[in-house]
Amino acid sequence: MENYGVNDELITSETISSTISSETRQETVIAVLVAVVCMLIYIRLRFSDLRFGISAVAALVHDVLIVLGFYAVSRITVGNTFIACLLTIVGYSINATIVIFDRIRENMKEAKKNAKVEDIVNSSITQTLSRSIFTSLTTFVMVACLYIWGVTSIKEFALPLMIGIVCGTYSSVCLTGSLWYLLHEKTGKKSE
């Protein structure tokens, strides 16, 4: 200490206990739940059909669980970036889902009376497929660049975000329309 001119009385040390990690976990769960509930309310109001909201939330749960599993398997440090990553993935995934649901709603209004709902859902997904893939690919490339050339804290955010982009695109394109169709067939023609 004398070599560096540091006063012994000014040196402090802090220990980070497991209570901080449980607080972070609790805050993350609360943040994701609040985001999902707000999105469910928004989708319910926008589309006037609870089945859209249920399908979207199921896909969001899928995305969050995949990213949580990735964090667990890869043993990436959980911190503030973890919360930001999950919320970013939820927001990104719901955006792609809303585009598909909007197209389904438009095509349902324009469809003839004898048109099959199954065909309407398939054509709606097909019409939005290139947009979903290009948007996801563009975002993935930018996040991959951040991962390659970024500092450690950015890499801890970028790698799970890349996983989230891939599974969010998959869930939006492959799961949400199918889930909505299944709910539509099980619950009848109109569910408010």
Side-chain angles (χ1 to χ4, degrees), residues 49 51-52 55 101 104 108 115-122 125 174-189:
D49 189 347
R51 295 171 294 200
F52 283 115
S55 303
F101 284 167
I104 290 172
M108 290 287 286
K116 291 183 178 179
V117 176
E118 177 182 347
D119 294 336
I120 294 170
V121 171
N122 282 336
I125 292 171
C174 299
L175 297 180
T176 55
S178 301
L179 286 172
W180 179 84
Y181 173 73
L182 287 174
L183 289 171
H184 183 270
E185 293 301 306
K186 297 284 183 192
T187 60
K189 300 301 177 198

Side-chain angles (χ1 to χ4, degrees), residues 32 36 39 55-71 82 85-97 160-161 163-176:
V32 171
V36 167
M39 288 178 197
S55 303
V57 168
L60 292 177
V61 169
H62 166 270
D63 300 341
V64 168
L65 290 177
I66 295 288
V67 174
L68 283 174
F70 177 75
Y71 264 97
F82 174 70
C85 182
L86 285 182
L87 292 175
T88 302
I89 291 165
V90 165
Y92 187 83
S93 179
I94 199 70
N95 184 39
T97 299
L161 191 56
I163 301 301
I165 289 169
V166 171
C167 73
T169 303
Y170 166 76
S171 70
S172 294
V173 171
C174 299
L175 297 180
T176 55

